[in-house]
Amino acid sequence: MSEHRISMTINGLRHVSNAEARVSLSDFLRGNAGCTGVHIGCEHGVCGACTVIVDGLAVRGCLMLAVQAEGAEVTTVEGLAAGDGTLHPVQQALYDEFALQCGFCTPGVVMTLAALTAPGSKANEQQLLAAMSGHICRCTGYQGIRRAAKKLAAAPAGEQP
Ligand code: FES
Ligand code: FES
């Protein structure tokens, strides 16, 4: 199969590399761009582990082809914390509420919550909790994740809860 030259902005940096048309965005981000925080579980849109933000929206990286993200602004979990290591409010909330154990599902959870609590797209508590139904976690029993989501819903957009 022929390769395509694909360019996109990943975590604020322009990335250009080649991939076949069949390559998913999640495989591209991991294999071509080295963003191994993009986890791959089910590969068919169910578990949520591969969630990244594309042009402001949380999307399943396994359900989108890399070629479809041509020219897009993509954010992965690697792009959330500040340069000095200060955690993004979503990361901090999950940390504070003990909302992870093995961490496999965590990048996807973080990216969905980050998209839904970004300035201008502030979701309410019900919407955040409903969005968590799209993420499978084998470890936590979801209670910590739910506490973090509730905290984030109560905080002003983009601020620490
Ligand atoms: S790996 Fe994409 S939703 Fe499971
Ligand atoms: S923390 Fe292990 S799968 Fe969620």
Side-chain angles (χ1 to χ4, degrees):
M1 194 178 283
S2 63
E3 295 213 325
H4 296 261
R5 190 168 174 77
I6 304 169
S7 69
M8 62 184 78
T9 302
I10 303 173
N11 299 327
L13 297 174
R14 184 169 145 80
H15 175 92
V16 184
S17 62
N18 293 340
E20 292 181 1
R22 63 173 180 81
V23 172
S24 68
L25 178 60
S26 48
D27 281 342
F28 182 85
L29 290 169
R30 288 178 60 88
N32 290 44
C35 296
T36 52
V38 181
H39 290 173
I40 298 173
C42 66
E43 289 190 275
H44 62 263
V46 174
C47 73
C50 64
T51 304
V52 294
I53 298 176
V54 178
D55 291 336
L57 297 175
V59 304
R60 307 289 210 223
C62 71
L63 294 185
M64 185 170 184
L65 296 170
V67 289
Q68 293 176 296
E70 167 67 32
E73 293 267 349
V74 179
T75 307
T76 71
V77 73
E78 288 93 342
L80 284 189
D84 66 357
T86 303
L87 295 178
H88 182 281
V90 170
Q91 294 172 310
Q92 190 65 50
L94 289 165
Y95 176 85
D96 290 343
E97 296 302 329
F98 307 102
L100 60 143
Q101 288 183 31
C102 79
F104 189 81
C105 70
T106 309
V109 170
V110 167
M111 299 316 288
T112 292
L113 289 173
L116 293 176
T117 57
S121 55
K122 180 76 173 161
N124 62 32
E125 180 178 315
Q126 237 180 352
Q127 290 166 322
L128 291 189
L129 293 177
M132 290 301 93
S133 69
H135 291 272
I136 293 176
C137 176
R138 300 290 298 271
C139 308
T140 65
Y142 299 99
Q143 293 311 309
I145 295 172
R146 288 174 61 85
R147 283 196 305 273
K150 287 181 182 183
K151 246 183 163 174
L152 289 161
E159 291 183 20
Q160 295 286 355

